[in-house]
Amino acid sequence: MAITDGMEINCSDLQAVGGTRLIAIREWIGNAGSEDVVNFDDGNHAISGIQIDGPALAPWGVFESRIESSSLTVSATNEGKDFTTYDCTVSWFIPGLTAAQFKGLHDFEGGKCLMVMVIDNNDNTSGTTAPSLTFAHNKVIGVSNTLANQDKASRTQQYCTLRSVEGGTGAAFSDEIGVTVTVGCMMYETPRNYEGAITLGGTGLTLTTA
């Protein structure tokens, strides 16, 4: 793609705040007759739809974390000529170490192929941490249209997987108790924005994309 325009920075960009608001995760579905269908908007470097073939809404789990403890990190390496690799990781801290929390972490195991949506704190241009209901200020990793399989989106080979779980009880009463979870993937393009419909469930622990 030719470089035909520049990039502006305006007042709202300078007021942007860090951190994430929501982390949503789902497992890729590649079963015949019930598989993920992903529509890309390459002109805007976005994803216009993630559904299950049918069509049906695609369900996601929403994972809460302690405020100011979660982040998306993207590290790029130019491999020469047309290829740049982007190592994308999402990390968040889960306090408590309850049995229910450990069970939730166990669901990531077994080499599951994941996609992750990170919604940050900048849906409102004023920089407030209260997001708009459109959740438009997001990034998706584990879904790519560069070096993708041209027949089946689920055979992308650029999935997210669980990378690490680190933490514990600490020793002193004042020590943190909890774990930091990291999931990540290697992609050949920068993370895309999801511009389709996002609907948060009533419990706040689920969402769907269309």
Side-chain angles (χ1 to χ4, degrees):
M1 181 179 296
I3 299 175
T4 59
D5 202 355
M7 183 184 301
E8 67 178 14
I9 295 177
N10 54 41
C11 183
S12 63
D13 297 319
L14 297 174
Q15 304 304 315
V17 295
T20 72
R21 181 72 178 187
L22 297 175
I23 297 172
I25 302 176
R26 67 184 300 269
E27 185 177 1
W28 274 92
I29 299 174
N31 303 323
S34 177
E35 60 189 350
D36 286 333
V37 176
V38 181
N39 297 312
F40 294 97
D41 176 1
D42 288 328
N44 292 313
H45 193 68
I47 301 168
S48 56
I50 298 176
Q51 295 179 308
I52 299 174
D53 192 20
L57 300 177
W60 302 64
V62 174
F63 291 81
E64 295 183 344
S65 64
R66 192 177 63 188
I67 294 174
E68 295 189 297
S69 74
S70 55
S71 64
L72 165 66
T73 302
V74 180
S75 301
T77 303
N78 190 320
E79 302 292 346
K81 206 172 181 180
D82 294 331
F83 296 99
T84 301
T85 58
Y86 296 87
D87 185 57
C88 305
T89 59
V90 174
S91 298
W92 70 99
F93 182 76
I94 304 175
L97 289 183
T98 66
Q101 290 168 342
F102 265 0
K103 179 185 180 302
L105 293 178
H106 179 71
D107 292 339
F108 288 114
E109 298 175 2
K112 291 182 177 178
C113 299
L114 310 170
M115 60 177 75
V116 180
M117 181 186 297
V118 176
I119 300 170
D120 70 22
N121 289 310
N122 294 293
D123 275 335
N124 293 333
T125 55
S126 64
T128 176
T129 55
S132 68
L133 293 179
T134 61
F135 303 109
H137 220 276
N138 66 72
K139 293 292 179 287
V140 178
I141 65 173
V143 182
S144 173
N145 201 33
T146 300
L147 299 184
N149 185 284
Q150 297 304 304
D151 182 42
K152 301 291 184 182
S154 60
R155 297 209 296 267
T156 173
Q157 298 186 28
Q158 297 173 60
Y159 317 103
C160 282
T161 57
L162 176 66
R163 288 193 173 177
S164 66
V165 177
E166 185 176 358
T169 63
F173 293 132
S174 59
D175 287 345
E176 289 184 335
I177 177 171
V179 294
T180 298
V181 182
T182 301
V183 297
C185 65
M186 184 70 73
M187 303 200 305
Y188 297 90
E189 62 179 22
T190 56
R192 292 176 179 244
N193 174 259
Y194 184 78
E195 60 185 14
I198 300 173
T199 304
L200 188 66
T203 65
L205 297 177
T206 64
L207 65 76
T208 57
T209 55

